[in-house]
Amino acid sequence: MNAIQMVLVVLVAFLAGMEGILDQWEFHQPLVACTLIGLVTGHLDLGIILGGQLQMIALGWANIGAAVAPDAALASVASAIILVQSGQGTKGIGMATGIAMPLAVAGLFLTMIVRTISTGIVHIMDADAKKANWRRINMWQWIDVCLQGLRIAIPAALLLAIPASTVQYWLGLMPTWLSDGMSIGGAMVVAVGYAMVINMMASREVWPFFAIGFALAAIKDLTLIALGAIGLAMAVMYLALESKGGSGNSGSDNDGTGDPLGDIIDDY
């Protein structure tokens, strides 16, 4: 990895750290962060695959009250860097997925430190607000957000400072039972993410599409573009049939979709 690639990786990590708090451009989401790191390091395919698996895991991560969710930014960035430096290709995706879990917990500790510092910054901003010094308030806001970016950028830079040969040597010392266990465990957690998606989307109308999708996925000759075209065509046909069925039952009280969430939205 050359110097330009390292700088770009640190930049992606910095943006992911800020987005973990701002949550506007979604750079901290695994699918985005891992893909960007794969892009700047020349391993786009690995970044997309790893990001997709971690994204399915992160679907169940949410902040609830004072309980903060695991840090998806550090998990995505650090695991993607380790995967690239390991040189294992797609064989190391399971290992990287397993490593992402403890990294997400470590990210909680780092964000706790930054949030503690942010408390002091808020008091400084309160004092500036009494003086109506808006320029200093804006400056401290930028400093606070940049601290969140450095929370991910600094660990990323430290990982990049470790030679790839050293990373490969350490991973080579990992016993087979541990590496296989991490791969199996990571795959199981990803399956939970798929189950959550199905649970959120499941209704009488979409179950046939799930069945058709799983059947078509078994056909190896179909490319992703072909599957996307088939899915788009089926969606267009479904919407056309739904509109015709809805117009015929416009005077009926039983024109719901069968999906409770859809019926609630229709009521509003």
Side-chain angles (χ1 to χ4, degrees):
M1 193 181 302
N2 56 46
I4 296 178
Q5 290 176 324
M6 291 182 179
V7 172
L8 292 176
V9 168
V10 173
L11 177 60
V12 172
F14 184 77
L15 294 175
M18 291 194 301
E19 276 301 298
I21 301 300
L22 297 176
D23 201 13
Q24 293 183 356
W25 299 97
E26 306 301 330
F27 284 113
H28 67 292
Q29 294 293 343
L31 186 58
V32 180
C34 293
T35 300
L36 290 176
I37 290 181
L39 177 64
V40 299
T41 58
H43 298 81
L44 181 60
D45 53 344
L46 293 179
I48 294 176
I49 297 174
L50 176 62
Q53 292 203 11
L54 293 180
Q55 189 66 58
M56 299 306 300
I57 300 173
L59 286 174
W61 294 353
N63 298 333
I64 304 176
V68 181
D71 187 30
L74 183 61
S76 306
V77 171
S79 61
I81 293 174
I82 294 174
L83 176 61
V84 170
Q85 290 188 323
S86 68
Q88 297 181 0
T90 55
K91 295 181 179 179
I93 291 178
M95 173 271 303
T97 304
I99 292 177
M101 299 302 102
L103 288 173
V105 178
L108 289 178
F109 175 73
L110 294 178
T111 191
M112 180 184 66
I113 296 176
V114 176
R115 288 171 188 265
T116 302
I117 298 174
S118 299
T119 303
I121 293 177
V122 169
H123 290 306
I124 297 175
M125 294 170 62
D126 288 339
D128 291 331
K130 294 179 180 179
K131 302 175 184 178
N133 194 339
W134 308 115
R135 181 174 298 178
R136 283 181 56 86
I137 293 175
N138 189 42
M139 178 193 71
W140 282 111
Q141 286 179 337
W142 277 101
I143 292 175
D144 197 8
V145 174
C146 288
L147 287 177
Q148 292 290 348
L150 292 175
R151 171 179 64 88
I152 307 299
I154 292 177
L158 293 176
L159 284 175
L160 292 174
I162 302 175
S165 58
T166 304
V167 175
Q168 295 172 7
Y169 174 74
W170 287 348
L171 294 177
L173 296 177
M174 186 181 299
T176 305
W177 61 266
L178 180 58
S179 59
D180 292 346
M182 293 174 66
S183 300
I184 296 172
M188 291 177 62
V189 179
V190 173
V192 174
Y194 280 108
M196 291 179 58
V197 173
I198 294 176
N199 187 42
M200 289 186 293
M201 297 176 59
S203 65
R204 289 183 299 177
E205 288 82 0
V206 300
W207 272 119
F209 294 98
F210 277 120
I212 295 173
F214 279 112
L216 292 176
I219 304 176
K220 298 181 179 180
D221 294 335
L222 291 176
T223 64
L224 289 177
I225 297 177
L227 289 174
I230 294 173
L232 179 61
M234 294 177 65
V236 171
M237 289 188 293
Y238 171 76
L239 293 175
L241 293 174
E242 186 183 36
S243 61
K244 290 182 179 179
S247 60
N249 297 327
S250 58
S252 174
D253 294 335
N254 298 324
D255 56 352
T257 63
D259 185 0
L261 180 59
D263 293 339
I264 293 174
I265 295 175
D266 291 339
D267 290 339
Y268 281 98

